[in-house]
Every structure is written in C-alpha cells, then in structure tokens.
Amino acid sequence: MAITVEPISGEALAGVLPALARLRIEVFRAYPYLYDGSLGYEEQYLAKFAASEGSVVVVARDGEEVVGASTGAPMEGHADAFARPFAERGFDTRRIFYFGESVLKASHRGHGIGHAFFDHREAHARRLGGFDMATFCAVVRPADHPLKPADYRPLDAFWRKRGYEPVEGLVAAFSWKDIDQPAETEKPMQFWMRRL
C-alpha cells in the first residue's frame, strides 16, 4: 500500500468533503453506529463543519483513492450540541478542541493510520494555540445489542494508549436513524478527553 496521510484545512476542505461524506455513510453503517445515512444530510452537516474556523480534515489516501478521513475543529462555534454538557459542568469550551469522526475503510485498518489521524489533529490544535484539552465522543450501546457482531472489539484500549480517558457523567445525546429502525432515535455519546 502506498498510503499517504495529510491534514487539509481552509479552502482546500471543499475538495475532500464528497469523499468524506461517502466514507461516513459506509463506515458508520457498521456496528456500533449502525447509521442509515444519506448524502443530503452529509452535505449539509459537512458544509457547516467546513465553515467552522480552525477546522481540519486529515485525509488518508491509497494512491489517488481516499480510504480514510478524520476531522477536528474548535468546540466553540462548531459542535454546539456537544459543547452543552461541557458548559454545564463549568468547562471553558473555547479551550477545547473537538475531534469529530474518524472513518477508515476496513481494508486499510491495522497499518497505523488511526494513530496518524490523532497525531495530525493534536498537532493542528497545538498550532492553532489556545487549547488545553482535546475531546471526542463515542456512542454507547448496550452489551447485548442484537446487531453486535460476535467478533466486535471496542476501541477503548487504543484510545487509552493515546492518553484519552472517559469522563464520568460527561455524556451528550445525539439522534440518527439506525439501519434496523424506522425512525431516528436518541443515543448517548460518552466523551473521552486528554490534556494537550
């Protein structure tokens, strides 16, 4: 594999958003997200993200093909639904850098790309300056979820190796339509954090 991983920001973001939209739909369809996505929603969501000052997309390419992407942006002014639990607990959201999705084709996992995604986003936040903490959130599913694959391995150990820990009680709620459900339902999203 001739894999390259590079951060993209500013006006150049527009060129990678269509690939990011397709990857989000493909990768998040699997457990634990089970996301029944649409390109229409993705375009709207990603346009808002791209307009956020300080945002970055870290893109992984195999040759010319985009096989993975990872996003980040200052929490203040971008992730309002996710910022609320922090503000309610007295955090200064202006000093928190928010990591959005990391999506990578299954065929390209296990080659260090996930680490590169974190390295680039953390470096971007440090370059921007003014951020004390980095955070992301992950969906919480019941242990006996009927669509959970027998060989499913959560990413907790990987995140802990990167220095992130779940923050007890710091949970947001977010809604989307699961692939096996007729309508959107609300899911708990647990936040993980580390100092920058």
Side-chain angles (χ1 to χ4, degrees), residues 83-181:
R84 194 171 305 114
F86 287 87
E88 288 171 355
R89 291 185 59 161
F91 285 94
D92 182 353
T93 57
R94 294 169 300 180
R95 304 193 65 80
I96 300 173
F97 197 82
Y98 174 70
F99 294 163
E101 57 278 295
S102 283
V103 285
L104 182 63
K105 286 180 175 283
S107 56
H108 288 72
R109 294 174 192 163
H111 299 281
I113 297 171
H115 282 293
F117 283 164
F118 273 94
D119 289 342
H120 281 292
R121 291 183 298 177
E122 289 166 4
H124 181 80
R126 290 186 186 106
R127 269 193 307 276
L128 288 176
F131 299 102
D132 300 325
M133 306 292 290
T135 189
F136 65 87
C137 59
V139 67
V140 178
R141 294 286 191 177
D144 61 349
H145 193 285
L147 296 184
K148 180 180 177 182
D151 62 350
Y152 173 70
R153 284 188 347 190
L155 292 171
D156 298 30
F158 168 73
W159 294 330
R160 284 193 163 96
K161 188 193 268 188
R162 296 288 319 185
Y164 292 83
E165 290 292 335
V167 182
E168 188 174 344
L170 197 53
V171 178
F174 204 71
S175 296
W176 65 84
K177 183 184 173 305
D178 284 0
I179 57 174
D180 65 333
Q181 298 297 318

Side-chain angles (χ1 to χ4, degrees), residues 1-9 16 23 56-71 101-105 108-124 127 158 162:
M1 292 185 209
I3 305 293
T4 60
V5 182
E6 64 170 340
I8 296 173
S9 56
V16 299
L23 277 169
V56 65
V57 178
V58 182
V59 178
R61 289 186 175 90
D62 186 350
E64 295 297 311
E65 181 190 5
V66 176
V67 296
S70 189
T71 66
E101 57 278 295
S102 283
V103 285
L104 182 63
K105 286 180 175 283
H108 288 72
R109 294 174 192 163
H111 299 281
I113 297 171
H115 282 293
F117 283 164
F118 273 94
D119 289 342
H120 281 292
R121 291 183 298 177
E122 289 166 4
H124 181 80
R127 269 193 307 276
F158 168 73
R162 296 288 319 185

